[in-house]
Amino acid sequence: LPPPLKLSVFPGMKEVAMKSHFAAHLNRMAALFPDEFAFIPTTYCLPQDLPQLHAAAQAAAVQPRERRTPPPTWIVKPSCGSGGEGIFLMQDVALLEPASDYIVQDYILRPLLINGYKFDFRIYVLVMSIHPLRIYIHEEGLVRLATEPYETPSRHNVGRHFMHLTNYSLNKTSEHFVESDGEGSGTKRTMSSVLQLLKRQGVQVQPILHKIEQMVIKTLISLQPSLVIQYEAMFAHTLDRLAACSPHKCMQVLGLDVMLDASHQPWLLELNSSPSLQIPDWVDYKVKSQVVGAALRMASYDALYGAKEDRHRRPKPQAPAEWNSTSLGSPLTIPRKSRAVRRLLPAASLQPPYVPDEADDLRRVQHEQAHRGGFRQIYPREAGPDYSALFLFNHRLREVFTWCCGVRCRHEMNASKFRKFAIRCGIVSGGTKAFDAGARAFSGAEVDLMFLKQTKASSHVNLGFDDLCAIILHKIAPRLHPEAETKLGMFMAFLDNNINTLQPL
């Protein structure tokens, strides 16, 4: 990818933003850092979480409820759906098929209302770099309203989608849909107009915006390791998977759906890797033109300042030393296997490693700040909360995964590598590590079964980064380190015992 060009998506972002994968990922982070990820409604990924869902429903059924307290309600969404298609509410989870491919969330029973109507925010976020992480949030956004006055869910109204769902693609088909004739009217409005309305009603808006910013930062920090692994796999400039690669190849605009409850607590509902940029009305034009225009101007640094210099100072592609004439012979006599390898390698793999340039990086950030429009940088910044614990956890876990893949530029772990990983960690009989699992050790069959169950649950052929996290969190760490008081303690104890042993295979 020549320097003036930049992809508008990060490798792997579409997959991690899928409803099922995103929910499973945030569930793991909430289990490890419950205080940091308290902004997520309780979510179940079916079919693997169906027993937990039934247990939660039975527990809610036996609890005494105050008079007029609504029964527990869940919102059910297709794992790969979009635009509100296939979403429905239910109060009896026993009706779900055992093989259902859904995610099920606790329904927010007491949402904040605007003139009696339910609503949510579409927040626009711009990620300019994933490693190091650089995040902007736009001051403007969209507010989507339902088209029927809200009522507490009951068996009589759970099927009224225009009351309970705020998706624009769904509500625009309602006979009660109202086109906007101003920023603060209609079924779709600008976020700034709604915030002004809330201020007039006495709502403290700034704490809400601050919580939304923290929600965005924590979400993207938690996704960073998986995205970095995929990014390096695509853009590594040498055959060495650990070589530095330019962090400026991609940028992406994300859309986060956020809902406020009656106590003004924001809840993250979804992450959209490809938010709709269609402009069916003037409200969309006002908001999306600002978002897209500013994002393109911020991403124009290489096109404006980098292309001419690169034509003169960019080194010509050079073959790695192991491909010299001594080892491989002339181009006409290269062995067939070597020629096949070279055909499979991207052109960038023949280039020297990327060398960071602090002065150039500073000019790039200054360019972004000068052309940011309505975007505001929320990470990194000089003053703010400390996220070092999240970053340390992510960094160590990414190291373990990268080492254990054992193949250059791979972002998956096959069954053979997973077995070697288990043996070297000393969790199976015959392990080479000094740590003795004793009676807590796994058998070889159990290790293979863990691999098969996780790949089936995630619909993957091999284990990805999130899959390995799930296995360590739910299977390995609790069995090996039950003495730890928390799931995070178990997880970190496992990493502490193995970080020095798991060197590149």
Side-chain angles (χ1 to χ4, degrees):
L1 191 67
L5 301 183
K6 188 183 290 284
L7 294 181
S8 61
V9 295
F10 283 94
M13 183 68 83
K14 181 178 180 180
E15 183 177 25
V16 299
M18 287 176 55
K19 287 183 174 66
S20 56
H21 294 170
F22 186 62
H25 173 81
L26 289 186
N27 280 345
R28 287 192 293 273
M29 297 306 296
L32 293 167
F33 301 93
D35 295 334
E36 300 289 344
F37 289 84
F39 51 79
I40 312 157
T42 304
T43 307
Y44 306 90
C45 300
L46 305 188
Q48 59 267 30
D49 290 344
L50 190 59
Q52 293 91 318
L53 176 60
H54 284 161
Q58 292 174 0
V62 300
Q63 288 181 354
R65 292 201 308 269
E66 298 179 2
R67 190 177 182 182
R68 297 185 179 181
T69 300
T73 305
W74 292 270
I75 182 167
V76 185
K77 307 175 184 180
S79 295
C80 302
S82 62
E85 295 181 358
I87 300 178
F88 59 93
L89 271 64
M90 68 184 319
Q91 295 180 326
D92 185 4
V93 297
L95 300 177
L96 287 170
E97 295 292 334
S100 300
D101 188 17
Y102 291 112
I103 67 162
V104 182
Q105 282 184 330
D106 285 357
Y107 185 74
I108 300 174
L109 296 173
R110 295 180 177 82
L112 188 64
L113 306 177
I114 295 179
N115 300 327
Y117 292 85
K118 186 178 176 181
F119 72 96
D120 72 353
F121 293 112
R122 167 60 59 86
I123 308 294
Y124 291 99
V125 174
L126 174 63
V127 183
M128 289 301 298
S129 171
I130 199 67
H131 187 53
L133 194 59
R134 194 159 69 253
I135 310 170
Y136 295 82
I137 191 169
H138 205 276
E139 63 185 12
E140 190 59 280
L142 293 174
V143 173
R144 294 87 54 88
L145 282 79
T147 48
E148 292 184 10
Y150 179 77
E151 297 176 6
T152 301
S154 68
R155 58 195 177 109
H156 303 292
N157 66 27
V158 290
R160 296 171 63 178
H161 291 173
F162 296 138
M163 173 189 296
H164 296 291
L165 304 182
T166 56
N167 304 75
Y168 168 75
S169 56
L170 173 70
N171 280 284
K172 68 180 180 180
T173 64
S174 170
E175 61 181 5
H176 302 294
F177 182 84
V178 179
E179 294 285 353
S180 299
D181 56 7
E183 293 187 24
S185 64
T187 302
K188 183 186 289 186
R189 309 179 185 184
T190 62
M191 188 171 74
S192 57
S193 67
V194 171
L195 293 178
Q196 289 297 326
L197 174 62
L198 295 179
K199 283 182 180 179
R200 292 195 294 270
Q201 295 176 351
V203 176
Q204 297 294 322
V205 170
Q206 280 307 123
I208 295 175
L209 296 179
H210 177 72
K211 290 179 181 179
I212 291 176
E213 289 180 8
Q214 299 306 306
M215 175 190 304
V216 170
I217 294 170
K218 293 173 185 177
T219 299
L220 289 173
I221 289 177
S222 70
L223 294 175
Q224 187 196 30
S226 179
L227 296 174
V228 169
I229 288 170
Q230 304 238 20
Y231 186 94
E232 291 179 344
M234 176 171 285
F235 294 113
H237 279 204
T238 70
L239 289 177
D240 183 359
R241 71 178 188 276
L242 298 178
C245 55
S246 170
H248 311 305
K249 296 290 187 181
C250 302
M251 49 82 73
Q252 188 160 0
V253 175
L254 304 173
L256 281 79
D257 294 342
V258 178
M259 181 173 291
L260 302 180
D261 62 20
S263 62
H264 308 154
Q265 171 68 30
W267 295 89
L268 177 60
L269 303 182
E270 292 181 13
L271 170 67
N272 299 274
S273 61
S274 300
S276 172
L277 298 177
Q278 295 182 359
I279 303 179
D281 53 41
W282 79 270
V283 173
D284 286 278
Y285 175 79
K286 176 179 174 61
V287 175
K288 295 175 183 178
S289 62
Q290 295 181 43
V291 171
V292 175
L296 292 177
R297 288 190 294 271
M298 293 169 69
S300 65
Y301 176 82
D302 288 309
L304 294 176
Y305 307 110
K308 292 183 179 179
E309 295 180 6
D310 284 327
R311 281 202 295 266
H312 298 290
R313 64 180 173 84
R314 195 189 325 155
K316 295 181 179 180
Q318 299 291 332
E322 60 266 31
W323 288 358
N324 58 29
S325 57
T326 303
S327 60
L328 295 178
S330 66
L332 296 178
T333 60
I334 294 177
R336 180 178 301 176
K337 183 176 180 180
S338 298
R339 291 202 301 270
V341 169
R342 294 186 69 170
R343 283 198 300 270
L344 292 174
L345 287 169
S349 64
L350 299 178
Q351 297 178 9
Y354 168 77
V355 179
D357 184 340
E358 293 184 4
D360 184 71
D361 290 343
L362 178 60
R363 289 193 297 269
R364 185 183 300 274
V365 173
Q366 290 173 342
H367 173 82
E368 292 174 4
Q369 294 295 330
H371 298 84
R372 62 186 176 85
F375 279 108
R376 179 168 50 84
Q377 185 170 336
I378 59 174
Y379 190 87
R381 54 187 178 190
E382 294 182 0
D386 182 14
Y387 302 104
S388 57
L390 285 175
F391 274 112
L392 177 62
F393 172 80
N394 287 343
H395 174 71
R396 297 178 70 182
L397 191 55
R398 182 165 65 89
E399 276 190 332
V400 168
F401 180 83
T402 305
W403 289 342
C404 292
C405 279
V407 180
R408 295 182 178 97
C409 300
R410 287 295 301 269
H411 57 275
E412 293 180 333
M413 183 186 295
N414 59 25
S416 174
K417 294 297 179 184
F418 182 64
R419 290 190 205 103
K420 291 181 180 179
F421 162 80
I423 291 173
R424 299 182 75 198
C425 290
I427 65 175
V428 294
S429 301
T432 59
K433 191 176 182 303
F435 173 73
D436 182 14
R440 293 172 285 175
F442 292 83
S443 66
E446 287 178 310
V447 170
D448 291 341
L449 189 59
M450 281 192 287
F451 180 90
L452 293 174
K453 284 186 174 181
Q454 186 58 39
T455 51
K456 181 180 179 180
S458 60
S459 301
H460 291 160
V461 176
N462 296 318
L463 295 179
F465 176 81
D466 286 339
D467 296 322
L468 181 63
C469 292
I471 289 178
I472 296 175
L473 174 64
H474 298 300
K475 302 294 184 181
I476 298 177
R479 181 156 160 178
L480 297 186
H481 303 284
E483 70 281 357
E485 296 182 356
T486 64
K487 290 187 176 181
L488 178 60
M490 298 175 186
F491 208 117
M492 294 305 291
F494 173 80
L495 292 181
D496 290 339
N497 282 332
N498 293 284
I499 197 71
N500 295 322
T501 299
L502 292 172
Q503 298 298 326
L505 294 172

